[in-house]
Amino acid sequence: MASEEASLRALESLMTEFFHNCTTNERKREIEELLNNFAQQIGSWRFCLYFLSSTRNDYVMMYSLTVFENLINKMWLGVPSQDKMEIRSCLPKLLLAHHKTLPYFIRNKLCKVIVDIGRQDWPMFYHDFFTNILQLIQSPVTTPLGLIMLKTTSEELACPREDLSVARKEELRKLLLDQVQTVLGLLTGILESIWDKHSVTSATPPPSPSSGENGGDLLSSLLQSPSAAKLLNQPIPILDTESEYICSLALECLAHLFSWIPLSASITPSLLTTIFHFARFGCDTRARKMSSVNGSSQNSVLGQERGRLGILAMSCINELMSKNCVPMEFEEYLLRMFQQTFYLLQKITKENNAHTVKSRLEELDESYIEKFTDFLRLFVSVHLRRIESYSQFPVVEFLALLFKYTFHQPTHEGYFSCLDIWTLFLDYLTSKIKSRLADKEAVLNRYEDALVLLLTEVLNRIQFRYNQAQLEELDDETLDDDQQTEWQRYLRQSLEVVAKVMELLPTHAFSTLFPVLQDNLEVYLGLQQFVVTSGTGQRLNITAENDCRRLHCSLRDLSSLLQAVGRLAEYFIGDVFAARFNDALTVVERLVKVTLYGSQIKLYNIETAVPSVLKPDLIDVHAQSLAALQAYSHWLAQFYSEVHRQNPEQIISLVSTALEAIIPLISSKVQEKLLLSACHLLVSLATTVRPVFLIRIPAVQKVFNRITDTSAQRLPDKAQVLVCRALSNVLLLPWPNLPENEQQWAVRSTNHASLISALTREYRHLKSSAILPQRKVRLEDTKVIIHQTLSVLEDIVESISGESTKSRQICYQSLQESVQVSLALFPAFIHQSDVTDEMLSFFLTLFQGLRVQMGVPFTEQIIQTFLNMFTREQLAESILHEGSTGCRVVEKFLKILQVVVQEPGQVFKPFLPSIISLCMEQVYPIIAERSSPDVKAELFELLFRVLHHNWRYFFKSSVLASVQRGIAEEQMENEAQFSAIMQAFGQSFLQPDIHLFKQNLFYLETLNTKQKLYHKDLPSFTQNVHRLVNDLRYYRLCNDSLPPGTVKL
């Protein structure tokens, strides 16, 4: 015992030293090594058992439990059975003896360690594991401890980690399911008895006017039962601290159990009713008020704890709600759940003299509101179609409550979440109407009022005119993960709702939106009268602070409404083009007028009294008017195709005027936001509308001259690429509704060659100097030319890759010399990974879009050049030493090879051996053991394509046919390469990259489906691979932890 006592003192001293702020990192590493060595010793657990029962040092207790945890989860197979019995006996006794005095985190850790033993040994070697938990729950003294053990058991046994075999996981799930009815009965009993006990004994005041409901309103139609309504109107009992703690543990257990048990009769009506009783705690504002009025910290904690019970109860409800698979016998329970939850919804959205809806919602716990919103989302997305058919469920009244709940949310996030629910509802309604067209009018009539109300309110919410205070709180600078600001997200989600209502009620939506747009347009178009000429240029003569503020709000609203009008463009085309033609024409004429006005009076260059605010506003309105007009390019295309033969004057006027608005903006002096909007509109007119008269318009000729004039200042990269794409498409894309002999291909081909020649003049001159050693300054200049030229050419090729053969032929003829220059330059820049990256991007785009036009001999020359350049040393340099750019270069090279190996016919088959050799002998050895995912996904996709598209390179007929016919002489060809590929796939399943695992599993399953890679007598290829990999991990873990000399699995 003395040695144990001495060890304990030494350990306490080490732990104190380790966590002392003066201890150096080096000393900490030494201590860590000492502790790890001790933990690995056989029999160290006996010392830890002594430490646990003899110390009050938290660090020592936590360390001792970690030793047990490691022993049970990683070394249990090698522990003698006598030792196991002792551990199974001692740890629960220790827990029972000390659970009330241990810190909660130590107690929880000890519970988990005992559950870990159950995970390994129950029921075979630890038969009373679960019985003990049930006994703890049933004994009033140990109920909290039993509930903690139950929740830990549900977490660790029903959803175990990867360190168990699949068979054991399935066995544990089955064992737990056998106990579910008993467990749910116990938990129901605990919650009911605490509720009933406090309902009877607590002297609660009668419900205040703000919390009581009368029986004749919506509630009675929801609940279909006065007694149920009366039950839910009873005052909420005041619970003592111990009862609240037990209830919260019981609800936590239920929430976790509901996450994995199926819906069944085990979940009884009485349990559901009890959970709803506790959900009422969350919307009981009196508890929170009481704690704030009385002021004591104890009351404050009590109020928070009561609110927490409501949150936990809603978590239970949401776990049940998230299950889509509902047995018939459970549907009635669901209906009851919805009825009871909507009673709560009515309660928290009730207005009276004391409360507005918003103030009531503000008083509730934010987490409770989140849970409630989750419930509503699950109701609409999963169950609405099921419940709507019940006559006793009033859906329209529910929407009225949801409307109140949505537009009184106290936070922006809450409002976003509610808009998501409306989007789900509108999607549901749209798909319902599409599947039942005969009932369309009846369905729309039922919901029309609600939808019009929704539309009006959402439009009001995006306008500063109605909602300035809230909108000014939104951040319009910081980008989120989706690369949008909070303001952009707010606007986008709002406009999605507007668009979905437009799809259902087009006339209503348009007549609601357009007058509002008109009002704001009048303000904008009226600004011309305030423009005065000063010595430095033009100035907007609006200076009063109030006027500037009003103008700012009006311009912000106009910008939003222009986006709304643009978002609705898709609802004027296709089958409804004729029916909605006049509305669309009104919009387009208005937009053309506004864009031209902005460009003519140059509002984007005007001086203002508040330049930091008004100038960005004016630029944004101009940019949004161009973007909105661009959204109508498909409508313009349909208009052009309908009238181009008989009465084209109107469309010619619209397109010509739009171009007059665009051309002044295509200048390097114009702000980039505005410049790019103009360029995008130009691209749409050239690509989507494609009118035959476009090339004859003087404004377009002007752009051609500007872009091909080498003395003119080059546009910023993005704009240059877009304008070049537009000009190329004007010449390359076939004109709609015209026969081949009227397409004027000869003239257009000559013009396109001239355009490309002008754009690539400097680039083509590089060929002669590529072989000379380059000075650093010259090299940088050369890189700029390569980047600028290839970005334009790559974009031109990409934009016509899906077009007619004639378009692609002309494109390649124009590009031919530049492509040959690129191939000649490639070897000179092989060590400049940034240049190689751009060149390979260009070649990849060529292979994807123009490989037929390039012809076989030149394509073979390109592939051979690449194969020669990418030696093992070059690949290693790119992958290992050049960071992400080097890896990108190799990935693009592999993508080019993916295109090559997919090509049908025999043309590129001679390259297969060298491609496979490159993959398996040069690339794979470099990346196989690297933890980084770089290059792996592309390599395995290439290997999959090799197998998928070239199966006969390995097998002359299918493997399965050979097996079934028993033909022994039909041998595999290129067996060594096939085996190496399959071995690489197998090895990838043992690496931690889950995305690669998923991708490769899909590839092998595809090969199995198509080529019968494995025999059909396996029940499921995927399932067996999952089991195999899981069990391999399990056995590897077992092997790592067995004592030296043990026979390995």
Side-chain angles (χ1 to χ4, degrees), residues 885-1048:
T885 313
C887 288
R888 269 204 315 276
V889 166
V890 178
E891 286 171 349
K892 280 171 187 164
F893 173 44
L894 296 176
K895 276 184 172 166
I896 290 172
L897 296 179
Q898 286 168 21
V899 177
V900 172
V901 300
Q902 289 178 74
E903 193 65 23
Q906 295 301 308
V907 177
F908 298 124
K909 294 298 183 245
F911 285 108
L912 268 181
S914 43
I915 289 174
I916 297 171
S917 169
L918 175 103
C919 290
M920 301 314 301
E921 294 165 27
Q922 298 188 47
V923 180
Y924 182 66
I926 298 170
I927 65 162
E929 295 305 319
R930 290 184 86 221
S931 57
S932 165
D934 294 338
V935 183
K936 288 180 184 173
E938 299 303 340
L939 175 68
F940 280 104
E941 183 172 349
L942 174 54
L943 293 174
F944 164 67
R945 302 275 171 217
V946 166
L947 294 169
H948 193 51
H949 297 277
N950 302 277
W951 192 253
R952 290 175 67 79
Y953 175 76
F954 302 103
F955 302 95
K956 288 301 180 195
S957 67
S958 81
V959 176
L960 192 60
S962 310
V963 171
Q964 286 174 341
R965 293 201 299 272
I967 303 171
E969 61 271 16
E970 204 164 27
Q971 290 295 314
M972 182 193 295
E973 300 192 5
N974 303 298
E975 185 173 348
Q977 289 186 322
F978 182 80
S979 299
I981 292 171
M982 295 315 294
Q983 210 165 351
F985 271 102
Q987 192 64 33
S988 73
F989 291 130
L990 296 174
Q991 293 181 343
D993 186 340
I994 194 71
H995 299 292
L996 189 69
F997 182 105
K998 182 181 176 185
Q999 171 192 290
N1000 287 358
L1001 194 57
F1002 170 75
Y1003 289 157
L1004 291 185
E1005 192 173 21
T1006 306
L1007 290 171
N1008 185 46
T1009 306
K1010 190 183 174 191
Q1011 309 292 1
K1012 306 295 178 285
L1013 185 62
Y1014 291 80
H1015 300 203
K1016 264 187 171 168
D1017 58 347
L1018 289 176
S1020 158
F1021 172 65
T1022 317
Q1023 192 180 348
N1024 281 279
V1025 172
H1026 273 305
R1027 293 181 76 100
L1028 165 73
V1029 173
N1030 187 95
D1031 290 352
L1032 274 172
R1033 286 181 181 148
Y1034 171 62
Y1035 290 131
R1036 180 188 272 180
L1037 195 65
C1038 293
N1039 287 341
D1040 289 347
S1041 60
L1042 288 173
T1046 314
V1047 177
K1048 304 281 181 176

Side-chain angles (χ1 to χ4, degrees), residues 665-685:
L665 302 175
I666 296 181
S667 157
S668 49
K669 292 175 184 154
V670 171
Q671 294 87 347
E672 190 173 24
K673 182 177 191 173
L674 197 47
L675 168 61
L676 290 177
S677 288
C679 293
H680 280 294
L681 177 53
L682 181 63
V683 168
S684 290
L685 292 174

Side-chain angles (χ1 to χ4, degrees), residues 70-84:
N70 192 55
L71 177 79
I72 293 157
N73 289 327
K74 295 185 177 176
M75 303 161 75
W76 200 239
L77 271 176
V79 176
S81 56
Q82 196 61 40
D83 288 6
K84 288 183 184 176

Side-chain angles (χ1 to χ4, degrees), residues 732-734 745 800 803-812 850:
L732 286 181
L733 299 182
W745 286 126
I800 58 100
E803 293 296 334
S804 68
T805 306
K806 190 69 185 172
S807 299
R808 285 183 288 163
Q809 275 174 350
I810 295 172
C811 184
Y812 185 64
L850 298 178

Side-chain angles (χ1 to χ4, degrees), residues 119-137:
R119 204 169 67 114
Q120 303 280 356
D121 290 358
W122 176 57
M124 182 71 80
F125 305 109
Y126 194 178
H127 59 88
D128 55 355
F129 165 70
F130 206 84
T131 323
N132 289 348
I133 293 174
L134 297 179
Q135 286 171 353
L136 287 173
I137 293 171

Side-chain angles (χ1 to χ4, degrees), residues 375-391:
F375 167 83
L376 295 169
R377 181 178 49 77
L378 288 165
F379 170 71
V380 171
S381 61
V382 182
H383 301 287
L384 183 61
R385 60 187 163 74
R386 190 177 279 122
I387 292 298
E388 198 194 11
S389 56
Y390 282 84
S391 57

Side-chain angles (χ1 to χ4, degrees), residues 597-637:
Y597 163 83
S599 296
Q600 282 178 336
I601 70 166
K602 292 188 168 55
L603 285 172
Y604 53 88
N605 268 346
I606 228 153
E607 288 180 30
T608 64
V610 197
S612 63
V613 177
L614 293 180
K615 187 159 185 173
D617 288 344
L618 290 164
I619 291 168
D620 192 48
V621 166
H622 199 164
Q624 295 301 348
S625 63
L626 291 160
L629 184 53
Q630 186 201 352
Y632 284 83
S633 55
H634 289 280
W635 182 86
L636 284 166

Side-chain angles (χ1 to χ4, degrees), residues 155-168:
E155 290 167 347
E156 299 297 326
L157 272 63
C159 318
R161 297 179 303 280
E162 295 297 328
D163 54 354
L164 285 183
S165 71
V166 172
R168 177 61 176 157

